[in-house]
Amino acid sequence: MEVAGMRKASSHASMAAAAADPDDFDLTRMLNHRPRINVDRQRSFDDRSLAELSISGTASRGGGGGGYPAMMESYESMYSPGGGLRSLCGTPASSTRLSFDPHPLVFDAWDALRRSLVCFRGQPLGTIAAVFVRDFVPSALAFLMNGEPEIVKNFLLKTLLLQGWEKRIDRFKLGEGAMPASFKVLKDAKRGGAERLVADFGESAIGRVAPVDSGFWWIILLRAYTKSTGDLSLAETAECQRGIRLIMNQCLAEGFDTFPTLLCADGCCMIDRRMGVYGYPIEIQALFFMALRCALLMLKPDAPEGKETMDRVATRLHALTYHMRSYFWLDFQQLNDVYRYRTEEYSHTAVNKFNVIPESIPDWVFDFMPSRGGYFVGNVSPARMDFRWFALGNFVAILASMATPEQAAAIMDLIEERWEDLIGEMPLKISFPAIESHEWEFVTGCDPKNTRWSYHNGGSWPVLLWLLTAACIKTGRLKIARRAIELAEARLARDGWPEYYDGKLGRYVGKQARKLQTWSVAGYLVAKMMVEDPSHLGMISLEEDRAMMKPVLKRSASWTV
């Protein structure tokens, strides 16, 4: 197992006492025992990529040299230019000993991030205003990379307790494994101003859609915490083991599915408004894949139902690996093949397995697809292929090794070849291209927020910078990351850290973009810290397990008379 080099810490106190009233549970019970942990920094990115890195103060692609160990030694105090700024909740300050001069923007970013902290009964728990699970991930990674894991532990524990709440929308009860989309800390006037949590499982969301991605992000973040701190005890508690199993059970439940992918409603992920991503969106499939792999690493076979769950996860991974790499991947050759597809093919010998009609290929794809490069398309389902590019799903595919090394390199080639389209003047397009005119009307329902080249419809989101940077490090393409970070540094602080940018090139601050957006701040910080210390990538990257992920090819099911 990947954590074999870490000394096992003693287990935490039980959370069972919280079952009756989660609001009355004191997080300090889980935090008062702080085991000494021997952390073995594991390199979790491609050896080939590491061999191409030459680091002398900062990382760079190419040449040899022995800069990496020296940098690691000087960096051991952790990167905390804002360490002298105490949060309102008393988050511990980290050392400010640095071996390089950070960009002035880093100080401002740490100041903004610390000022955004939310506390619950004296413990830092997340960042303002409502603590969205997906939104907090880059902030959590920033704190982990900065040597401040307590807030991440608090967050993981409290969301785990919220998972145990009864979840109803109108008269319908949600599955046990569902994690909240967000929660707020409110003061109860009837209880003398006592603080309580109010969770949203989708009942307050636009369209009343449950967040499919929240549980996946929770598992991924739990693994990042374990990888960063070396503390195995949190993931191995009975409560965390149960939380992982509940999420897995909800995703792996048998039904009428003929594909290993997850069927989802529109608006169930970061794109949380109607944008035509219903069906099998790449973002959910990539996160599902990564969560399956993280769960397999953290589940204990000797725990209740542990071995059974692990077997189910491994079986699903085999099928999902083959499906995604075969049917969602698009490059020049595959596009040409789809263009020449025959239709109305029956039986297991069909080449056009999803009956995609070649005439449904949009014109823009032929110009967008370079001869060198490729990507995972947005959606594949019967008679439908969404050819749009979605950044989050493609970068997570690289980090989770859902993409083969060749496919990962092709995605980065596409970024270089189509820089103006996907990066422009502000990284990074959440989707490409924008939908407009009559298509915009019937796909979005005339959504006034998702107009062309705005918000989720081709808008540029600085938070995605950390995912781009992580993918660049894993594939040995740091030049791309540095160039994108420089673009962001030229605008972000001056524009007030906006949520997103509008326009084909991302030139304009979004028409409804919130300023001082926490995850824009955190996304920049995480990107910056990973470039300065690429070993941080190990928190959120998984190498391919060839033995486990080798597809098991079986003949398609057919009737025999």
Side-chain angles (χ1 to χ4, degrees):
M1 183 175 282
E2 62 170 359
V3 290
M6 303 178 184
R7 186 171 65 202
K8 192 172 181 178
S10 58
S11 61
H12 292 279
S14 172
M15 292 188 288
D21 187 358
D23 275 347
D24 291 335
F25 178 65
D26 185 359
L27 283 170
T28 57
R29 291 188 218 166
M30 296 290 290
L31 301 173
N32 56 14
H33 177 62
R34 302 173 187 235
R36 291 185 63 187
I37 301 165
N38 179 23
V39 180
D40 176 15
R41 282 186 178 272
Q42 307 263 336
R43 308 298 187 264
S44 183
F45 49 98
D46 195 334
D47 291 336
R48 176 185 57 79
S49 301
L50 177 58
E52 294 175 358
L53 298 177
S54 174
I55 304 175
S56 55
T58 57
S60 62
R61 192 181 179 198
Y68 186 83
M71 180 186 174
M72 283 297 299
E73 182 179 355
S74 66
Y75 207 93
E76 199 60 36
S77 63
M78 306 301 286
Y79 188 3
S80 183
L85 295 167
R86 292 278 182 176
S87 75
L88 298 177
C89 303
T91 301
S94 301
S95 170
T96 58
R97 181 170 62 88
L98 298 171
S99 61
F100 53 89
D101 294 325
H103 192 282
L105 189 59
V106 172
F107 292 93
D108 295 335
W110 272 112
D111 189 10
L113 185 60
R114 294 184 187 283
R115 291 178 185 276
S116 74
L117 286 174
V118 170
C119 294
F120 180 68
R121 298 177 182 174
Q123 296 289 346
L125 188 63
T127 46
I128 60 175
V131 182
F132 281 83
V133 173
R134 78 174 68 92
D135 295 20
F136 181 66
V137 169
S139 297
L141 293 175
F143 285 116
L144 287 175
M145 293 177 185
N146 200 42
E148 302 178 58
E150 294 303 307
I151 183 175
V152 182
K153 182 191 290 185
N154 296 348
F155 174 85
L156 289 167
L157 293 174
K158 207 57 184 178
T159 47
L160 179 61
L161 290 169
L162 293 174
Q163 184 194 42
W165 287 12
E166 184 179 78
K167 303 171 276 283
R168 287 184 179 272
I169 297 181
D170 294 330
R171 299 184 180 183
F172 183 74
K173 184 178 178 180
L174 276 67
E176 281 188 286
M179 283 285 189
S182 66
F183 57 87
K184 293 182 179 181
V185 178
L186 300 179
K187 291 188 176 181
D188 192 343
K190 296 181 180 179
R191 300 171 62 182
E195 292 180 337
R196 64 187 181 90
L197 294 179
V198 176
D200 170 28
F201 291 92
E203 66 271 25
S204 299
I206 297 173
R208 303 300 185 267
V209 179
V212 177
D213 62 338
S214 287
F216 301 152
W217 280 122
W218 185 86
I219 290 176
I220 293 167
L221 187 56
L222 177 61
R223 187 261 178 186
Y225 170 87
T226 301
K227 189 76 174 175
S228 172
T229 65
D231 180 5
L232 308 182
S233 61
L234 179 61
E236 291 186 351
T237 59
E239 293 80 9
C240 280
Q241 290 289 304
R242 181 176 184 272
I244 296 172
R245 287 198 309 273
L246 287 177
I247 296 170
M248 292 293 100
N249 288 341
Q250 188 158 349
C251 298
L252 301 176
E254 294 181 354
F256 293 97
D257 300 301
T258 55
F259 315 128
T261 41
L262 280 183
L263 181 63
C264 305
D266 219 338
C268 65
C269 50
M270 180 179 174
I271 298 178
D272 58 1
R273 302 169 73 93
R274 182 175 160 188
M275 267 289 292
V277 297
Y278 61 88
Y280 304 91
I282 181 61
E283 177 176 336
I284 290 298
Q285 312 315 319
L287 287 171
F288 178 38
F289 185 95
M290 191 166 193
L292 287 172
R293 294 205 60 198
C294 290
L296 198 59
L297 291 170
M298 294 186 292
L299 283 169
K300 297 169 60 179
D302 57 345
E305 302 177 33
K307 182 62 167 63
E308 178 187 351
T309 304
M310 292 175 71
D311 289 342
R312 294 169 65 201
V313 168
T315 300
R316 188 62 162 261
L317 274 171
H318 282 306
L320 189 59
T321 300
Y322 176 76
H323 186 91
M324 297 304 297
R325 290 176 176 179
S326 300
Y327 303 126
F328 272 68
W329 181 251
L330 190 72
D331 55 19
F332 182 85
Q333 183 58 53
Q334 181 63 17
L335 177 60
N336 205 162
D337 291 344
V338 174
Y339 176 69
R340 291 169 49 84
Y341 269 168
R342 294 180 179 179
T343 60
E344 308 300 327
E345 292 183 300
Y346 295 91
S347 85
H348 60 271
T349 60
V351 175
N352 186 2
K353 295 182 184 297
F354 294 90
N355 197 37
V356 176
I357 311 300
E359 285 73 19
S360 69
I361 303 175
D363 292 338
W364 65 264
V365 179
F366 297 103
D367 295 327
F368 177 71
M369 181 62 71
S371 57
R372 183 177 68 97
Y375 64 103
F376 290 97
V377 297
N379 217 312
V380 177
S381 58
R384 178 184 179 226
M385 183 175 285
D386 184 348
F387 291 89
R388 285 178 293 174
W389 152 271
F390 290 91
L392 194 153
N394 275 272
F395 293 143
V396 171
I398 293 175
L399 297 178
S401 290
M402 187 180 85
T404 66
E406 294 76 19
Q407 288 172 337
I411 292 171
M412 303 315 298
D413 289 341
L414 180 74
I415 295 288
E416 286 189 318
E417 293 287 335
R418 296 294 177 258
W419 184 270
E420 289 296 307
D421 292 329
L422 303 180
I423 306 294
E425 295 186 18
M426 174 56 67
L428 176 70
K429 288 295 181 193
I430 187 174
S431 63
F432 181 89
I435 52 178
E436 49 190 315
S437 189
H438 295 301
E439 185 181 14
W440 167 79
E441 292 177 2
F442 66 74
V443 170
T444 73
C446 300
D447 187 349
K449 197 167 187 177
N450 273 328
T451 53
R452 64 177 183 174
W453 306 114
S454 180
Y455 204 53
H456 298 142
N457 188 15
S460 299
W461 291 68
V463 64
L464 297 173
L465 188 62
W466 78 267
L467 283 163
L468 170 64
T469 301
C472 287
I473 294 172
K474 184 165 184 179
T475 55
R477 310 286 278 272
L478 270 170
K479 183 179 179 181
I480 296 177
R482 286 207 190 89
R483 184 181 174 192
I485 290 172
E486 288 175 2
L487 283 174
E489 287 175 336
R491 292 281 307 269
L492 280 177
R494 187 181 73 191
D495 294 336
W497 298 98
E499 180 183 14
Y500 63 94
Y501 286 76
D502 285 355
K504 201 166 185 178
L505 296 176
R507 179 177 294 175
Y508 304 97
V509 174
K511 60 183 177 181
Q512 296 187 41
R514 295 178 177 87
K515 295 294 187 74
L516 293 176
Q517 185 71 17
T518 303
W519 69 346
S520 295
V521 173
Y524 165 73
L525 283 174
V526 172
K528 197 73 173 175
M529 284 190 281
M530 282 194 292
V531 166
E532 301 295 351
D533 183 357
S535 72
H536 287 315
L537 180 69
M539 297 183 199
I540 39 89
S541 177
L542 294 164
E543 289 309 307
E544 182 173 7
D545 185 337
R546 296 185 182 277
M548 180 192 72
M549 297 173 63
K550 185 177 180 181
V552 179
L553 302 181
K554 292 184 178 180
R555 189 182 180 93
S556 301
S558 60
W559 290 99
T560 302
V561 179

